[in-house]
Amino acid sequence: MRLKAIASFIIRDLKLIVRDKSLVFWLIAWPLIWIFMTAYIFVPPATGEGTVTIKLGVVNMDNSQVSFNGSLLITIMKEVKYNGSNLFNIKLYSSEEEALQALRKGELDAVIIVPDGFGYNATNIMRETRLIAYIGSRTPQSAQITSSIITNFFNGFSKELSLKRMDTLQKIIEQLPISEEGKQWFNISIRGIMRPLNMTFEKVYPEAFETRARILGWYTIGAVGMMFLYSGFNSGASLIVSEKERGTLKKLFSTPLTEGEFLTGGFLSQLTMLLISALILIIVGTSPVIGASIAFNPFNPAHLLAIIFIVCGALMSMSIGSLISLISKTWSSASNLATVLGLLLSFTTGVWFPIEWMPQPIRVLAIIFPPAWSIEASRRILVFETVMETLILDAIKIFSSTILLLTVALISYRTMIRRYSEY
Amino acid sequence: MSNKKMENEIIIVKEVTKSYNGFTALNSVSFTVKSGEVYVVLGPNGAGKSTLFNIIAGVMKPSSGSVKVLGDAPSNPSTRLKISYLPPTPPLYPWLTVMENIDFYSSLYGLSRNDARKEAMELLEILGIKDLSNKLASKLSTGQGKLASIVLALVVRPELLILDEPTTGLDPGMRRNIINLLRKQASNKTTILMATHLIDEAEELANRVAIMDKGRIIAEGGVEELKKLYAPPAVLVIKPSEENVKKASDVLKRHWSNIYSSNDEVRLHTENPDEDMPKAVLMLSENGIRILSVSVDKPTLEDVFLKLTGRRLTE
Ligand SMILES: Nc1ncnc2c1ncn2[C@@H]1O[C@H](COP(=O)(O)OP(=O)(O)OP(=O)(O)O)[C@@H](O)[C@H]1O
Ligand SMILES: [Mg+2]
């Protein structure tokens, strides 16, 4: 094996990156487009600290002449703030009919009907208070968000009401002609009846999804994985058939180049291209333009392991590409098949889209597809900051499948070279 | 003694047969090429020249038979170090410049970049195409690509050059330059195996010629030797108007047997041109065939091929 011969393949192909625009598109521009789309459309900059405003139509039919009534409710709702801005943008309607029409037209997110007697009921400890809410559904997501916000608001409101009623009740009890102990007992029981369960809810995200930066880190590694899949498939599939169709294969094998040097040189040069592109994607992803956060510390052995996993991902993708070239006759058919298959697999194996989005039968793909393991494991290290000890099984799986797939690639390439030297 | 002989025989091809899915492209071909020789394989399209060259260059396996090059199997990397093979289509990487293509291939031969570049510049200079060195291969014309790949083949200073139709697609002036360059190489002890279907090129360069047809070598020897064996002393070349070629050849065939016609001319192989020329002209004009020109020519390898196969080498 002559290093000089192998190096000359790398030099040859690096010039391709600089000079072939379509290659640059697939290696760098296409995955960047996805990162950008994610950063500015799917996970927009306000995510996590953003503001929400609900367009609320209110029909106030309450005529109660008491201290708390429908008009006061509306005033309170107008004042509710969330992250510094008004949560409800309230518009008053005079009839239910009118309000619902606006809701159906999509002008409103929800409608609340305040029935007559609302104030009277609310202030009277012996009565049940009613409110009716209609939730519009422009999209399934928006309906969910609106209904959860409204529910939360009125749950809180209902709690406040309970406390008010408890105070009123306590004052009444104070004046009852019973012993102090009896009063005590009443107070506690009332509390129990009013609030059978005093529970607080707090949403807990996995740490990684706490911030937008982490989410984008997840997607940046995903973009690298996606690029590995179709470009790796492509370069693996094209390695020999491209030389054959360009008319260079015969010339190459008439020189002192050995089969081993040819395969090593070709494979390493493709690997170099994939890794350079991956580096560019990560640099752009973590730059302020995108703002992804990826943990990397060269002195952390787990982080170095992540790099090895990424290299394995590239090698495995290229090896699988060699199988594609076995079944396709021409360079263009090999390359088309590789691109389509690579994109498809990156969407369905959890490399780009989260695997949870996939229907159950498709999730099997992620389980049996080794390149997805390496992307998932590097993500766990670089985004979720998993510790070394939890990675041993992954490392064994990834290394052994890399070796296995490289062997398969070697066999299929040798088969192809044989085949071409027969003709 | 025997050692000396082995050294002298650069290529030994023994009963090489090659079939593609049952089609026999080479049929028991045998020959040897000696050190310093220019050995030209001449044959029409589909004769099997490229197949033969692929096998000798070690990039294709024969179905049967054996090939030895420089005393060893051509697939052996140490043998290949001394061989340079030029395929019929330029083996250039389109995204590299001519010089970068040369860098790449010569590094496979273990040459230093500077040496290879120096040698390449000299060759480009000789051919008068120095300005091509920094042009991208994808931007070259067909002929320029061909020239670049010849330089590519020569730059490694091989002991054996295997050239498959090196001048196809070149204009006559450039073809001349290449022939001169190859002559110079041959005088520097480079052995050259070359395929062509151009007669004058073969006659001009060859020490020995193998004439191939339908997968076989049908004649082999020096140019003059072949002519002496298979061609007449003279050839009467008659050019009637084009629509009359067929008729003219039919008329002449009544009297002579060695009549060969092509699109635009009829060739009459003759021992005695002085007698046959007036006779032929008279016969044709009696039959109302107008003649554009008549000449008595020296026979060429074309006539050797005509004699052997009854067909012309090129149309
Ligand atoms: N890969 C192949 N598969 C099947 N048949 C082939 C293949 N390569 C060549 N042949 C056939 O073998 C015969 C010899 O082809 P070859 O290319 O060796 O001829 P050639 O003398 O080089 O012709 P040319 O002057 O046109 O280059 C032809 O009939 C050709 O059709
Ligand atoms: Mg040919």
Side-chain angles (χ1 to χ4, degrees):
Chain A
M1 206 72 91
R2 298 167 304 159
L3 287 181
K4 190 178 170 191
I6 291 166
S8 61
F9 276 85
I10 298 176
I11 295 167
R12 182 195 76 181
D13 293 346
L14 285 186
K15 295 198 170 113
L16 187 59
I17 290 201
V18 187
R19 291 175 191 169
D20 184 345
K21 291 192 186 65
S22 76
L23 189 74
V24 173
F25 174 80
W26 282 111
L27 281 176
I28 297 160
W30 170 263
L32 273 186
I33 288 171
W34 283 88
I35 297 181
F36 268 97
M37 285 210 297
T38 305
Y40 287 98
I41 299 173
F42 302 122
V43 192
T47 308
E49 62 265 11
T51 57
V52 185
T53 303
I54 290 182
K55 279 186 255 168
L56 191 65
V58 178
V59 184
N60 186 9
M61 300 195 279
D62 186 22
N63 294 312
S64 312
Q65 297 300 316
V66 286
S67 60
F68 178 76
N69 60 15
S71 312
L72 189 60
L73 174 72
I74 292 167
T75 314
I76 292 170
M77 287 180 82
K78 278 183 178 163
E79 294 299 308
V80 177
K81 293 266 197 293
Y82 178 73
N83 279 343
S85 67
N86 289 333
L87 182 59
F88 298 111
N89 175 2
I90 291 177
K91 195 171 174 199
L92 292 174
Y93 290 85
S94 52
S95 78
E96 187 168 340
E97 203 50 43
E98 204 185 332
L100 289 183
Q101 205 155 12
L103 182 66
R104 284 195 198 94
K105 282 189 198 150
E107 291 163 11
L108 299 172
D109 294 313
V111 167
I112 290 195
I113 312 288
V114 185
D116 192 15
F118 169 80
Y120 177 70
N121 290 333
T123 47
N124 192 325
I125 58 166
M126 306 303 273
R127 292 193 181 238
E128 190 187 26
T129 324
R130 287 191 144 275
L131 268 180
I132 303 164
Y134 296 95
I135 310 292
S137 56
R138 274 177 304 172
T139 67
Q141 281 89 341
S142 75
Q144 240 172 40
I145 293 169
T146 310
S147 84
S148 89
I149 287 174
I150 289 182
T151 311
N152 271 331
F153 173 76
F154 282 105
N155 277 344
F157 187 74
S158 176
K159 211 158 108 182
E160 286 303 312
L161 217 51
S162 306
L163 293 173
K164 281 257 158 54
R165 288 181 174 193
M166 239 155 45
D167 287 345
T168 316
L169 214 55
Q170 260 166 349
K171 278 178 196 134
I172 296 171
I173 291 166
E174 279 302 313
Q175 285 150 26
L176 288 180
I178 50 170
S179 69
E180 277 304 303
E181 273 178 22
K183 285 175 187 172
Q184 198 82 24
W185 182 86
F186 261 118
N187 276 338
I188 293 170
S189 328
I190 288 162
R191 211 170 278 272
I193 293 164
M194 292 288 195
R195 301 178 65 189
L197 180 62
N198 185 3
M199 184 171 174
T200 51
F201 285 92
E202 195 86 50
K203 279 197 186 142
V204 181
Y205 293 99
E207 204 186 337
F209 286 111
E210 232 170 7
T211 63
R212 173 173 178 267
R214 295 281 187 116
I215 299 175
L216 292 176
W218 193 94
Y219 277 107
T220 300
I221 304 283
V224 169
M226 168 162 55
M227 182 272 291
F228 276 3
L229 286 188
Y230 62 74
S231 288
F233 279 14
N234 231 309
S235 50
S238 310
L239 190 66
I240 294 183
V241 74
S242 64
E243 302 274 7
K244 154 109 176 127
E245 282 185 22
R246 228 184 267 120
T248 44
L249 191 68
K250 280 183 174 161
K251 174 71 185 172
L252 282 178
F253 282 128
S254 74
T255 72
L257 186 72
T258 64
E259 217 172 275
E261 288 165 351
F262 169 69
L263 291 178
T264 313
F267 229 68
L268 282 184
S269 83
Q270 306 293 320
L271 179 68
T272 311
M273 277 204 250
L274 293 182
L275 294 180
I276 289 177
S277 313
L279 191 66
I280 293 174
L281 293 182
I282 290 176
I283 289 173
V284 177
T286 52
S287 74
V289 184
I290 302 290
S293 123
I294 288 176
F296 184 73
N297 171 2
F299 300 107
N300 183 336
H303 292 181
L304 295 179
L305 188 63
I307 294 182
I308 298 174
F309 284 167
I310 286 176
V311 172
C312 285
L315 286 172
M316 287 192 277
S317 304
M318 287 159 63
S319 301
I320 293 170
S322 77
L323 293 173
I324 295 172
S325 71
L326 271 185
I327 55 167
S328 35
K329 284 224 153 51
T330 64
W331 183 7
S332 74
S333 74
S335 164
N336 291 339
L337 185 60
T339 307
V340 170
L341 217 59
L343 282 175
L344 219 60
L345 281 169
S346 68
F347 291 159
T348 52
T349 59
V351 169
W352 177 258
F353 291 127
I355 191 66
E356 291 74 20
W357 294 10
M358 298 297 138
Q360 205 63 41
I362 285 182
R363 294 189 193 182
V364 176
L365 283 176
I367 298 171
I368 59 170
F369 186 61
W373 307 342
S374 68
I375 295 304
E376 201 44 53
S378 11
R379 245 180 209 153
R380 274 175 43 218
I381 302 168
L382 298 177
V383 183
F384 294 72
E385 300 200 61
T386 307
V387 290
M388 199 75 175
E389 289 72 50
T390 63
L391 294 163
I392 293 168
L393 189 66
D394 297 272
I396 293 172
K397 274 169 66 184
I398 290 166
F399 293 157
S400 50
S401 50
T402 302
I403 290 168
L404 185 76
L405 283 170
L406 281 174
T407 312
V408 168
L410 187 66
I411 294 169
S412 53
Y413 286 139
R414 287 186 158 234
T415 310
M416 285 184 71
I417 293 174
R418 277 307 107 67
R419 197 190 280 170
Y420 288 143
S421 74
E422 300 292 320
Y423 288 99
Chain B
M1 258 302 279
S2 77
N3 206 9
K4 176 111 197 269
K5 192 178 171 233
M6 265 181 42
E7 245 173 54
N8 205 18
E9 288 176 338
I10 301 291
I11 304 175
I12 306 171
V13 176
K14 256 192 206 146
E15 290 168 12
V16 164
T17 294
K18 174 76 195 179
S19 33
Y20 298 112
N21 293 323
F23 171 79
T24 309
L26 286 180
N27 194 343
S28 193
V29 170
S30 302
F31 65 94
T32 57
V33 176
K34 294 194 192 69
S35 176
E37 233 179 358
V38 179
Y39 191 94
V40 173
V41 178
L42 183 67
N45 291 132
K49 305 182 294 294
S50 294
T51 305
L52 178 64
F53 279 34
N54 277 327
I55 292 171
I56 294 171
V59 296
M60 191 189 271
K61 290 202 191 74
S63 306
S64 68
S66 73
V67 174
K68 267 205 169 154
V69 176
L70 296 154
D72 211 336
S75 55
N76 191 331
S78 65
T79 314
R80 288 174 172 172
L81 199 54
K82 302 174 219 159
I83 304 177
S84 186
Y85 163 61
L86 174 71
T89 45
L92 302 173
Y93 292 94
W95 68 89
L96 299 181
T97 65
V98 169
M99 200 47 106
E100 288 166 344
N101 270 288
I102 290 169
D103 288 344
F104 173 67
Y105 282 112
S106 50
S107 77
L108 301 182
Y109 281 85
L111 261 65
S112 89
R113 201 174 109 125
N114 284 343
D115 289 353
R117 287 201 158 196
K118 211 171 132 236
E119 182 76 20
M121 278 322 270
E122 268 169 38
L123 289 165
L124 290 169
E125 179 105 65
I126 290 171
L127 294 173
I129 48 169
K130 250 173 100 173
D131 50 326
L132 289 190
S133 69
N134 288 320
K135 224 171 170 182
L136 286 178
S138 58
K139 301 253 152 65
L140 298 178
S141 72
T142 320
Q144 289 172 331
K146 200 82 194 185
L147 289 170
S149 56
I150 292 171
V151 173
L152 201 74
L154 293 177
V155 95
V156 300
R157 295 176 176 269
E159 286 179 36
L160 170 64
L161 257 176
I162 303 174
L163 308 170
D164 196 346
E165 306 202 11
T167 64
T168 305
L170 297 184
D171 62 51
M174 220 17 123
R175 192 176 287 160
R176 179 113 306 280
N177 287 346
I178 296 298
I179 289 174
N180 290 340
L181 189 59
L182 293 179
R183 274 231 188 89
K184 216 174 103 197
Q185 294 280 322
S187 66
N188 287 339
K189 282 287 162 218
T190 307
T191 308
I192 300 178
L193 174 69
M194 182 174 117
T196 185
H197 46 232
L198 299 174
I199 288 122
D200 35 350
E201 196 170 282
E203 293 196 357
E204 211 165 327
L205 270 173
N207 299 115
R208 276 195 303 148
V209 177
I211 298 179
M212 268 192 98
D213 188 38
K214 297 180 177 161
R216 288 174 181 278
I217 292 185
I218 54 174
E220 192 208 29
V223 175
E224 291 313 315
E225 190 185 343
L226 286 174
K227 286 182 187 170
K228 209 171 277 168
L229 274 170
Y230 301 105
V235 179
L236 200 57
V237 183
I238 300 160
K239 292 195 175 171
S241 53
E242 213 164 294
E243 69 277 11
N244 281 327
V245 173
K246 177 83 176 63
K247 196 174 165 196
S249 121
D250 289 344
V251 169
L252 295 173
K253 269 179 184 164
R254 282 180 220 150
H255 207 274
W256 290 277
S257 58
N258 293 334
I259 303 293
Y260 306 99
S261 60
S262 66
N263 283 343
D264 61 340
E265 61 174 37
V266 180
R267 292 174 87 87
L268 196 166
H269 285 187
T270 170
E271 304 287 325
N272 197 344
D274 293 344
E275 208 172 279
D276 285 344
M277 178 151 89
K279 213 188 226 167
V281 171
L282 189 64
M283 270 181 83
L284 290 176
S285 53
E286 273 172 0
N287 282 276
I289 297 167
R290 217 165 65 86
I291 299 167
L292 303 178
S293 75
V294 186
S295 61
V296 179
D297 288 1
K298 282 208 182 113
T300 66
L301 287 173
E302 174 84 88
D303 296 295
V304 173
F305 192 79
L306 280 170
K307 176 76 182 177
L308 288 166
T309 65
R311 286 177 291 121
R312 288 194 58 141
L313 193 57
T314 49
E315 286 300 340

